[in-house]
Amino acid sequence: MIRSKISKTHIKLFLLSSLVLTGIFLFLGYLMLSSIERYAFQEKMKSSVNTAKAYSYSVSKNIAARDALITLLNEKIEIAGETLLIHGGLVEENLTELAEDLKVDTIDLYNSEGVIIASTIPENIGWTIYEGHPVYSFYKSSERSYVEEIRTDTISGLDFKFGYFRLQDGGFFQVGVSAESINEFISSFALMEAFGEIKKSNALTCLCFIDPSHSVVASTDPDNVSKVVTDPEVLELLERNIESGKLFNVEDREVYQTYVPIYHEEERIGTLMVGEDFTSTRRLIDRVSYAGIVILVSLYAGIIFLLLSTQRKNKELLEAAYFDEASELPNQRLLREILEERRMGEEPKKQAVVLIQSLEYKNLHHEYGNEHLKDLVKVMVKRITEECRFSVQVFSYTEDRFLVLVEDYESKNELVALTKEITKVMELPVRTTKGIDILKVKFGITEIKQDNAQRSLDRILKEASVALSTISKADKVNYAFFSELSGRKLQMEEVVEQELRSVIADDYMTSFYLVFQPLVSMEDGSIVAFEALSRFVSKKYGEIPPVKFIEIAEKKDLILPIGKIILTKACRYAKKLKDKGYGHIRVSVNISGLQILSEEFLDDTLKTMEKEQVDGSSLMFEISENSLVDHVDTLNEKLQVLREKGVLISLDNFGVGSSSLHHLKGLRVDMLKIDKLFIGPLSKGDPSTLITKDIINMAKGMGLQVVAEGVEEEGQLDYLAKHSCDLVQGYLLSSPLEEEEANLLLIASPFVLWPKVMEKNRIYHGTASQES
């Protein structure tokens, strides 16, 4: 179910990523296309503006020249009028000759009543001015002369430029020059000619000049001349005082028109429009856009492919990260994330973690192998998830344990019912290739209460493990809930762990110290060595037994730094003994199997000895054979280095291991320490004491010194003396002493401390030696 959810989540993430990516690429495509087109327009406008500016000077000069020529034409008409006024008495037949001499096209003479009485055009004679006619305003005015703009003659219908000159009797002359004559007069300066040349040299689509009244004064297209611009879009561009441009559709062609204001003597005299064919530019835009789209699509396809590959890879990584390869179950990491997710939820759920342990795992593993057991566990897990009436999630933990997360249950009774249901399902026979098997299990249960929901998964698993450890074979039920009682044990371990870490951070803390118990020679009663025994006083729990805090240190992976501190303190005491003149007395240090098998052991030990200025002749290391029987070769290599430095090696707790005699010959040690388990019965005459005698004889035969620990009664001392034990240690001789007390013990009897020890040796060995 969880795997299916993860798979669906992957698909959703992939689809979401694909949609986002598609949106990004569509936006990039739009941005690219619009940028290309905008860039093309900007470049086209720059080109057109540059072109317009290049000709704006020529255009403005042409306009200025045209205006100057028109001014000269006006002056010409005025000169003709003044000449006629001087010859005011001329008769009609003289007007034609005067017109030729003055180079004008028509002369009309009006009387004071506004009637033409003489004219170069006979048809005009007799025409009378009427109100509303352009001449009427001058006729009624008091002006002496007036020159009009070009207009259509009412009588002939032709375009003329007229000038009016008043006679003294109230009549006046009308002098006219035809528009055709005017165009011929200024043709060499015309914009039309200039624009024609420009179009030929630059192949522009269109070029025209528009005056401030929006009338086309000149254009490369003659049909546009004299037209008035009415297009709102063009008018908007004409009103601007800056260069501007826009794309227009002209006769089914795209034309980019640029409008550039033209100024003469700081006065705007009009606008020059440059229109260029956009076909080639559009073709270029299309080609660049197509290439860009191809690149974008290729990138998109490549990224989608990478996304698919990454999605598959991420799925594989998530499988590896969140699922146990062997059992194919979701692992603790996924459980931790689920708990965190639930914890952050708005509506908290009741939760419990059930730790299930297989009781036959070791036997089945030994008999059938790991692969068979994996298959069996898979079948059992499938049964739990499919056949139980409870909805649960199963997670891997260790080879013989797995976890069940239970949510939304009502009470502990439901959890108990769940354990019974799982037990029933697990104990159903499973037929495999190896035969018919069943799995018996037990359960450790811890509830995740809402008032303590911030507990870490490690703490939860510890609680479940503590609960599981309280179940014994004698119990009638196979489940246990984590309780305050079992929790106090866990709490104590955590407190001790933190305090031990403080000791590691500062090895001068007085809460962790050494006491020293002497090893006494059976031959002369002298102290041969002091065994350094560690003591730890917790601020909260007081003195913690060594067995307990050493167990916690090993469990919390603190034994290596703690062991280093013990060795350091022991070296310091050995240095003090040497400085006081007791250099012949060694300090014995217990070395755990984890210490001596660590890669750093030799380097750390030698560096500590060097730092504390202690040589090997002042030290003795006691090693326990139980944890070392499987590493004899590695052990011997390290022991040989230490022995070469002068360190004595003692095999501690001899006799309690399952392979003591088998491995003793292979170990390179100097001494053998008999476990107190074999010393206790000596005073009672127990037949098992024969074993102790054999151990001593065997060790002596191998050239080893023998130490007996746990000597508490005189009868034990008597037995050990009788059978030639070399050294003894125990409460009969001395309890473990703090440093100052141990020093006083040395001062009180530097040579012969325990007469009883010497007496026993004399009784059993002194007489015998005399007889021999």
Side-chain angles (χ1 to χ4, degrees):
M1 181 174 65
I2 295 176
R3 194 183 297 270
S4 175
K5 286 183 179 179
I6 290 179
S7 179
K8 289 180 180 178
T9 302
H10 268 287
I11 294 173
K12 288 180 181 178
L13 286 174
F14 173 73
L15 291 176
L16 180 61
S17 302
S18 299
L19 287 174
V20 171
L21 187 64
T22 302
I24 290 173
F25 268 87
L26 287 175
F27 174 74
L28 288 175
Y30 166 77
L31 197 64
M32 180 192 70
L33 294 177
S34 59
S35 298
I36 291 172
E37 189 160 336
R38 185 167 56 253
Y39 176 78
F41 283 150
Q42 290 173 350
E43 290 302 307
K44 178 60 73 174
M45 182 174 175
K46 286 180 184 178
S47 173
S48 299
V49 167
N50 289 335
T51 300
K53 285 182 176 180
Y55 296 114
S56 60
Y57 180 78
S58 175
V59 169
S60 62
K61 289 303 180 183
N62 270 277
I63 294 294
R66 180 176 179 274
D67 291 344
L69 291 174
I70 291 175
T71 300
L72 291 175
L73 182 62
N74 290 343
E75 290 178 356
K76 175 184 177 181
I77 292 174
E78 288 179 355
I79 292 172
E82 292 297 330
T83 302
L84 289 173
L85 291 177
I86 294 172
H87 299 81
L90 295 176
V91 294
E92 176 186 351
E93 52 267 21
N94 293 329
L95 289 181
T96 301
E97 295 179 3
L98 283 173
E100 291 178 357
D101 293 337
L102 295 174
K103 300 201 181 297
V104 295
D105 296 310
T106 180
I107 300 175
D108 296 303
L109 175 62
Y110 288 81
N111 62 17
S112 59
E113 282 79 22
V115 179
I116 296 176
I117 57 175
S119 175
T120 57
I121 302 174
E123 291 83 359
N124 292 348
I125 297 173
W127 186 82
T128 304
I129 299 173
Y130 56 87
E131 187 175 354
H133 192 273
V135 183
Y136 185 78
S137 56
F138 174 77
Y139 171 67
K140 289 296 183 180
S141 71
S142 60
E143 292 182 20
R144 183 174 177 275
S145 65
Y146 175 70
V147 179
E148 284 184 327
E149 294 298 324
I150 297 174
R151 68 174 178 84
T152 303
D153 181 45
T154 306
I155 302 172
S156 65
L158 300 175
D159 292 334
F160 284 88
K161 186 176 184 66
F162 291 108
Y164 307 97
F165 305 91
R166 195 179 302 278
L167 296 169
Q168 291 183 355
D169 60 1
F172 60 90
F173 284 106
Q174 176 180 282
V175 179
V177 179
S178 71
E180 185 177 351
S181 299
I182 294 172
N183 287 335
E184 290 177 357
F185 180 65
I186 63 174
S187 61
S188 59
F189 300 95
L191 281 176
M192 286 292 293
E193 184 176 341
F195 281 10
E197 294 298 323
I198 291 172
K199 184 174 182 181
K200 289 178 182 178
S201 62
N202 292 280
L204 297 174
T205 300
C206 183
L207 184 71
C208 65
F209 182 79
I210 304 169
D211 65 15
S213 64
H214 304 156
S215 177
V216 178
V217 175
S219 174
T220 53
D221 184 355
D223 294 337
N224 291 332
V225 177
S226 299
K227 287 185 178 179
V228 177
V229 176
T230 57
D231 188 333
E233 291 183 298
V234 177
L235 289 174
E236 182 184 352
L237 296 174
L238 291 174
E239 292 299 326
R240 297 179 183 177
N241 287 323
I242 58 173
E243 297 95 349
S244 55
K246 196 169 185 180
L247 191 66
F248 289 90
N249 199 316
V250 179
E251 297 179 356
D252 296 330
R253 285 188 307 162
E254 286 186 311
V255 177
Y256 192 81
Q257 296 180 359
T258 305
Y259 293 82
V260 180
I262 303 298
Y263 293 87
H264 180 65
E265 296 180 354
E266 298 183 356
E267 181 181 355
R268 184 170 177 176
I269 60 175
T271 303
L272 182 63
M273 187 279 288
V274 179
E276 294 186 285
D277 192 345
F278 204 71
T279 304
S280 59
T281 304
R282 175 63 68 187
R283 193 177 297 115
L284 179 61
I285 291 174
D286 291 343
R287 283 200 297 266
V288 174
S289 299
Y290 177 77
I293 289 172
V294 170
I295 293 172
L296 274 180
V297 170
S298 300
L299 284 174
Y300 176 78
I303 293 176
I304 287 292
F305 176 76
L306 288 176
L307 194 62
L308 279 170
S309 301
T310 304
Q311 190 265 349
R312 284 195 294 267
K313 188 65 177 178
N314 286 343
K315 185 177 180 182
E316 292 173 1
L317 290 174
L318 279 175
E319 289 278 347
Y322 291 113
F323 289 86
D324 179 64
E325 184 178 358
S327 64
E328 298 182 2
L329 289 174
N331 59 22
Q332 295 175 51
R333 180 180 294 178
L334 184 56
L335 175 58
R336 180 179 284 107
E337 293 193 6
I338 290 174
L339 292 176
E340 288 292 332
E341 182 182 342
R342 300 290 194 274
R343 189 178 297 162
M344 301 300 292
E346 295 181 359
E347 297 182 3
K349 297 180 179 181
K350 290 191 70 174
Q351 295 175 315
V353 172
V354 181
L355 179 59
I356 304 176
Q357 181 178 8
S358 168
L359 300 179
E360 285 85 15
Y361 179 85
K362 291 183 179 178
N363 293 334
L364 290 171
H365 186 275
H366 178 72
E367 186 173 355
Y368 298 123
N370 194 45
E371 291 301 321
H372 169 70
L373 196 59
K374 286 180 185 178
D375 295 338
L376 189 61
V377 169
K378 287 179 184 178
V379 173
M380 294 304 183
V381 170
K382 186 176 181 181
R383 282 184 177 180
I384 292 174
T385 55
E386 293 182 357
E387 298 182 22
C388 279
R389 57 190 176 89
F390 295 93
S391 178
V392 296
Q393 299 178 60
V394 184
F395 300 84
S396 67
Y397 188 47
T398 61
E399 289 184 344
D400 62 334
R401 297 180 178 187
F402 49 92
L403 300 163
V404 173
L405 176 63
V406 189
E407 297 182 303
D408 290 336
Y409 61 93
E410 294 296 330
S411 64
K412 284 188 175 181
N413 290 335
E414 283 198 4
L415 295 176
V416 173
L418 172 64
T419 63
K420 292 180 179 179
E421 185 77 14
I422 293 177
T423 301
K424 179 181 177 182
V425 169
M426 297 289 274
E427 291 183 352
L428 290 174
V430 177
R431 183 176 295 278
T432 65
T433 56
K434 305 293 183 180
I436 298 176
D437 297 313
I438 62 172
L439 281 178
K440 291 187 177 181
V441 292
K442 62 179 181 179
F443 307 87
I445 309 169
T446 181
E447 294 186 274
I448 307 173
K449 298 179 180 179
Q450 294 307 313
D451 57 353
N452 197 13
Q454 298 302 317
R455 286 178 297 175
S456 67
L457 178 61
D458 293 336
R459 173 66 182 269
I460 292 169
L461 297 180
K462 286 177 184 176
E463 292 178 358
S465 297
V466 169
L468 193 67
S469 65
T470 62
I471 305 171
S472 65
K473 293 182 179 180
D475 291 337
K476 294 181 180 180
V477 295
N478 63 345
Y479 62 88
F481 285 87
F482 176 78
S483 64
E484 292 300 325
L485 182 62
S486 56
R488 281 195 291 272
K489 176 184 176 184
L490 179 62
Q491 185 181 28
M492 186 197 75
E493 288 184 357
E494 291 179 346
V495 170
V496 170
E497 177 190 355
Q498 293 306 316
E499 291 186 359
L500 286 176
R501 291 187 184 277
S502 299
V503 169
I504 293 169
D506 181 8
D507 64 356
Y508 283 94
M509 290 184 67
T510 57
S511 60
F512 188 86
Y513 61 95
L514 299 183
V515 294
F516 304 93
Q517 189 174 30
L519 279 69
V520 179
S521 170
M522 289 288 289
E523 182 178 355
D524 58 10
S526 65
I527 297 175
V528 175
F530 279 107
E531 181 179 3
L533 302 170
S534 57
R535 296 291 184 265
F536 174 63
V537 181
S538 168
K539 293 180 182 179
K540 184 172 183 178
Y541 297 102
E543 186 167 348
I544 307 295
V547 174
K548 185 62 183 176
F549 74 75
I550 292 297
E551 176 189 344
I552 294 172
E554 289 181 345
K555 187 185 296 184
K556 305 298 181 180
D557 295 327
L558 301 177
I559 193 61
L560 295 182
I562 289 292
K564 188 175 180 180
I565 290 174
I566 293 172
L567 177 61
T568 300
K569 290 181 179 291
C571 286
R572 289 171 185 169
Y573 184 57
K575 177 68 166 53
K576 291 178 182 178
L577 288 176
K578 186 176 181 180
D579 293 342
K580 293 178 182 293
Y582 299 105
H584 60 285
I585 298 177
R586 294 176 182 263
V587 176
S588 179
V589 184
N590 288 283
I591 305 295
S592 73
L594 291 175
Q595 278 181 274
I596 199 168
L597 292 176
S598 68
E599 294 181 1
E600 303 85 5
F601 173 72
L602 271 180
D603 287 341
D604 287 348
T605 300
L606 297 177
K607 287 179 182 177
T608 300
M609 292 169 60
E610 182 181 358
K611 179 182 178 183
E612 303 299 334
Q613 300 178 1
V614 172
D615 55 34
S617 62
S618 298
L619 296 175
M620 179 193 302
F621 287 170
E622 297 186 20
I623 59 175
S624 175
E625 46 122 2
N626 283 341
S627 58
L628 302 171
V629 292
D630 294 329
H631 307 277
V632 174
D633 293 337
T634 302
L635 177 63
N636 279 335
E637 291 178 7
K638 296 184 178 182
L639 294 182
Q640 186 59 33
V641 175
L642 295 172
R643 294 177 73 197
E644 290 174 358
K645 296 290 183 180
V647 179
L648 285 180
I649 307 297
S650 174
L651 186 61
D652 196 15
N653 303 121
F654 186 82
V656 298
S658 59
S659 307
S660 299
L661 298 177
H662 176 70
H663 289 93
L664 182 58
K665 293 180 180 180
L667 287 173
R668 297 173 185 173
V669 296
D670 304 289
M671 305 177 69
L672 183 148
K673 197 170 190 179
I674 303 174
D675 191 87
K676 63 182 179 180
L677 178 68
F678 295 93
I679 304 302
L682 296 181
S683 60
K684 301 175 183 179
D686 193 308
S688 62
T689 57
L690 294 174
I691 298 175
T692 307
K693 172 187 173 182
D694 292 338
I695 292 174
I696 294 173
N697 292 335
M698 179 187 63
K700 290 282 188 178
M702 298 177 64
L704 303 177
Q705 284 188 295
V706 180
V707 183
E709 66 176 349
V711 179
E712 299 179 357
E713 299 177 11
E714 192 171 336
Q716 297 166 351
L717 187 65
D718 190 74
Y719 182 96
L720 294 169
K722 180 178 179 179
H723 294 286
S724 303
C725 184
D726 298 302
L727 304 172
V728 288
Q729 178 186 13
Y731 278 83
L732 178 65
L733 306 172
S734 174
S735 62
L737 304 171
E738 293 192 23
E739 186 176 316
E740 294 300 325
E741 295 174 324
N743 293 339
L744 289 173
L745 188 64
L746 289 172
I747 295 171
S749 181
F751 301 110
V752 182
L753 186 58
W754 290 280
K756 285 185 179 181
V757 175
M758 292 182 63
E759 179 65 21
K760 298 293 183 182
N761 188 63
R762 187 188 63 78
I763 291 173
Y764 290 106
H765 300 288
T767 304
S769 61
Q770 290 175 1
E771 291 176 354
S772 61

